[in-house]
Amino acid sequence: MELSLRARVRAGDPAAYGELFDEHAAVVHRYAVRATGDWAAAEDVVSLTFLEAWRLREKVEPDGESLRPWLLGIATNVMRNTARAARRHRDALSRLPPKEAIPDFAEELVGRMADSERLAAAHRALGRLRRAEREVFVLCVWQGLDYAAAAEALGVRIGTVRSRLSRARARLRKLTEAELEHPRGEPEPPAGNGQVRGSRTAAARPRQERTR
């Protein structure tokens, strides 16, 4: 009897691990891109996820269908740990003496997405959700997991997934509308009709000088 991919991964079969990577690496990468909004960070998440998957292979349940929820659960933990490490790094840097800023003129433009502005706006809105709501939304809406698979990935009850997703949808709708209406970093429009107000004396002075 031929062993399933799940059983072969659990047994530590290198060929099965290669099949697992080929089948699910793109899925994990899309999830990480949508969750982080950063292509380079997403590639790191993929690498760390499959390293962890190999380390935890003996914890794969012997029964079940797709291993996608298990991998996305690992990816979720990887991103949590990465975010915590990044916060600790920022905190450490904030305690260092300030350095003179040097402009970076070699920054590359990333054009892999047809609409990077839309991704940025969506990620800004997602970033304002609570972490638990954000994770459920990305898994269920963007990754297409059903409630049971998302619950397995996150280690929570199905009812918890339902309630979190409902709250996430409602909050994200309001936050996205706010982002589209007032994007962060956009300069405030000038008050009034756009004319610069000044004193009548100052405005009239050039005419008086010309008539002298």
Side-chain angles (χ1 to χ4, degrees), residues 53-148:
W54 178 254
R55 187 178 69 84
L56 301 172
R57 61 190 182 278
E58 294 181 358
K59 294 186 177 182
V60 172
E61 295 295 332
D63 300 322
E65 297 180 0
S66 174
L67 286 169
R68 185 172 64 159
W70 178 66
L71 285 171
L72 293 180
I74 295 175
T76 300
N77 288 329
V78 165
M79 286 186 284
R80 289 174 182 173
N81 294 335
T82 302
R84 281 194 292 267
R87 284 195 297 271
R88 288 195 295 267
H89 181 66
R90 288 194 299 270
D91 291 342
L93 289 179
S94 68
R95 293 191 291 270
L96 295 176
K99 293 183 178 181
E100 182 180 357
I102 301 176
D104 181 7
F105 298 104
E107 183 179 359
E108 296 182 359
L109 297 177
V110 180
R112 298 186 188 182
M113 293 201 69
D115 193 353
S116 58
E117 292 182 0
R118 185 177 298 275
L119 173 64
H123 185 251
R124 287 196 301 271
L126 276 174
R128 296 171 64 185
L129 293 179
R130 297 181 181 88
R131 188 185 71 182
E133 296 171 353
R134 181 170 62 251
E135 290 171 352
V136 166
F137 181 86
V138 174
L139 287 173
C140 291
V141 177
W142 279 354
Q143 292 303 119
L145 295 191
D146 59 22
Y147 294 138

Side-chain angles (χ1 to χ4, degrees), residues 151-198:
E152 178 185 344
L154 296 174
V156 298
R157 298 176 181 272
I158 293 178
T160 302
V161 172
R162 291 179 183 272
S163 60
R164 288 180 183 177
L165 182 59
S166 177
R167 290 195 301 270
R169 287 181 185 275
R171 293 194 66 221
L172 190 62
R173 185 178 299 110
K174 294 180 181 179
L175 293 173
T176 301
E177 291 174 356
E179 284 289 342
L180 292 175
E181 186 175 355
H182 300 293
R184 295 184 184 181
E186 182 178 275
E188 292 292 333
N193 58 4
Q195 297 179 351
V196 179
R197 296 183 179 181

